[in-house]
């Protein structure tokens, strides 16, 4: 699979349409790369092969792309910062997109889908950090009593549940968008067979018949496997 740095994510439960079209500009900075280095823009239709649509060179510590958007698609910024290419996923759509990549985090902001994506990831990261904090204490604090250990374990389970509910709400509010399709593929296990079937079957054609078609195929394959397992 492509190595990807998932861009950070904003918590407004808004339906992001796939229908916008117009001009886009992408500007950004990547920690560790030098003036004259190449940054490429492209997509993957099968999750493996990277199709380059444009490239540019870094100048003054910044890179820039511009072009015409015909909707909302999942794209990648690709760059070399070491031995292997690195890929950052973002949503290509109309507007001015700002990308910043550092060792700690990567963000794509400035347009509706990317801003929403930034918020979602930020909120989800808060859940994960809380879980890791409790797990670390459980594994390192030798003075914990049995009751405190049980309480921390319960808090971990509750936080995992709340994180799942949060993602379910995001997907239910946005399943008719490219962003919703992306999250549905990542977290399809959160839904039972009936709801996953409903969500998958109601994804708009304009979201499927784009660079995102491999994600729809993944959902169809999962539904097929679930039906096969249910029949055993």
């Amino acid at each position: 699979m492509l190595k990807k740095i998932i861009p950070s994510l904003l918590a407004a439960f808004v339906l992001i349409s796939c229908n916008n079209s117009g001009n886009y500009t992408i500007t950004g900075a990547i920690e560790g790369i030098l003036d004259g280095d190449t940054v490429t823009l492209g997509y993957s239709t099968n999750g493996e092969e990277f199709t380059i649509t444009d490239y540019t060179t870094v100048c003054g510590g910044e890179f820039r792309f511009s072009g015409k958007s015909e909707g909302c698609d999942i794209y990648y910024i690709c760059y070399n910062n070491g031995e292997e290419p690195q890929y950052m996923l973002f949503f290509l759509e109309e507007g001015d997109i700002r990308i910043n990549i550092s060792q700690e985090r990567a963000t794509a902001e400035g347009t509706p889908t990317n801003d929403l994506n930034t918020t979602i990831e930020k909120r989800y990261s808060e859940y994960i950090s809380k879980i890791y904090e409790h797990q670390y204490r459980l594994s390192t604090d030798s003075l914990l009593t049995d009751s405190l250990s049980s309480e921390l374990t319960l808090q971990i389970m509750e936080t995992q549940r709340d994180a799942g509910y949060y993602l379910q709400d995001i997907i239910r509010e946005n399943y008719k968008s490219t962003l919703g399709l992306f999250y549905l593929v990542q977290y399809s296990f959160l839904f039972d067979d009936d709801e996953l079937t409903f969500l998958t079957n109601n994804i708009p054609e304009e979201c499927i018949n784009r660079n995102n078609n491999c994600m729809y195929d993944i959902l169809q394959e999962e539904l097929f496997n679930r039906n096969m397992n249910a029949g055993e």
Side-chain angles (χ1 to χ4, degrees), residues 15-20 70-73 171-182 184 196-217 219-220:
L15 179 62
I16 304 297
S17 169
C18 294
N19 298 327
N20 292 333
E70 296 181 356
C72 180
D73 283 305
I171 294 166
R172 287 168 179 148
E173 292 290 335
N174 294 280
Y175 70 92
K176 292 185 178 181
S177 71
T178 300
L179 179 140
L181 174 57
F182 171 72
L184 184 57
L196 182 60
T197 299
F198 171 82
L199 294 171
T200 301
N201 290 343
N202 284 279
I203 296 170
E205 287 294 326
E206 61 265 28
C207 289
I208 299 170
N209 296 325
R210 305 179 64 81
N211 300 335
N212 314 310
N213 57 8
C214 69
M215 294 191 297
Y216 185 75
D217 292 342
L219 290 174
Q220 292 289 3

Side-chain angles (χ1 to χ4, degrees), residues 7-211:
S8 308
L9 310 153
L10 193 187
F13 297 158
V14 204
L15 179 62
I16 304 297
S17 169
C18 294
N19 298 327
N20 292 333
S21 63
N23 297 324
Y24 69 81
T25 60
I26 305 167
T27 57
I30 303 172
E31 181 180 343
I33 66 172
L34 305 174
D35 282 4
D37 286 350
T38 300
V39 178
T40 56
L41 175 69
Y43 61 89
S44 174
T45 55
N46 60 9
E48 299 288 343
E49 299 174 0
F50 181 64
T51 301
I52 297 174
T53 58
D54 200 357
Y55 68 91
T56 189
T57 54
V58 177
C59 181
E62 298 266 323
F63 64 87
R64 185 179 188 278
F65 295 98
S66 62
K68 183 79 171 178
S69 169
E70 296 181 356
C72 180
D73 283 305
I74 292 175
Y75 265 68
Y76 296 88
I77 291 291
C78 177
Y79 62 97
N80 283 311
N81 192 6
E83 296 182 357
E84 296 183 357
Q86 301 294 315
Y87 298 87
M88 175 189 169
L89 182 152
F90 73 103
F91 295 90
L92 182 65
E93 62 185 345
E94 177 184 12
D96 297 324
I97 302 168
R98 176 68 188 180
I99 291 177
N100 288 292
I101 303 173
S102 68
Q103 294 297 321
E104 291 75 31
R105 64 187 302 226
T107 59
E109 299 173 295
T111 60
T113 307
N114 286 298
D115 286 347
L116 176 56
N117 191 41
T118 298
T119 301
I120 300 167
E121 189 183 69
K122 182 179 178 181
R123 183 71 182 99
Y124 186 67
S125 295
E126 292 172 357
Y127 286 115
I128 299 303
S129 295
K130 188 176 180 180
I131 290 170
Y132 285 165
E133 179 184 330
H134 292 329
Q135 289 176 334
Y136 180 78
R137 188 178 177 192
L138 277 173
S139 63
T140 60
D141 191 343
S142 60
L143 300 179
L144 280 178
T145 63
D146 289 344
S147 62
L148 282 175
S149 295
S150 297
E151 182 179 339
L152 285 173
T153 301
L154 179 60
Q155 289 177 8
I156 290 172
M157 295 173 62
E158 290 176 343
T159 305
Q160 290 173 330
R161 177 203 62 199
D162 292 343
Y165 288 162
Y166 173 71
L167 290 171
Q168 284 178 324
D169 287 341
I170 288 292
I171 294 166
R172 287 168 179 148
E173 292 290 335
N174 294 280
Y175 70 92
K176 292 185 178 181
S177 71
T178 300
L179 179 140
L181 174 57
F182 171 72
Y183 275 97
L184 184 57
V185 170
Q186 308 302 312
Y187 299 102
S188 58
F189 61 87
L190 294 172
F191 299 95
D192 62 28
D193 295 352
D194 289 341
E195 185 166 15
L196 182 60
T197 299
F198 171 82
L199 294 171
T200 301
N201 290 343
N202 284 279
I203 296 170
E205 287 294 326
E206 61 265 28
C207 289
I208 299 170
N209 296 325
R210 305 179 64 81
N211 300 335

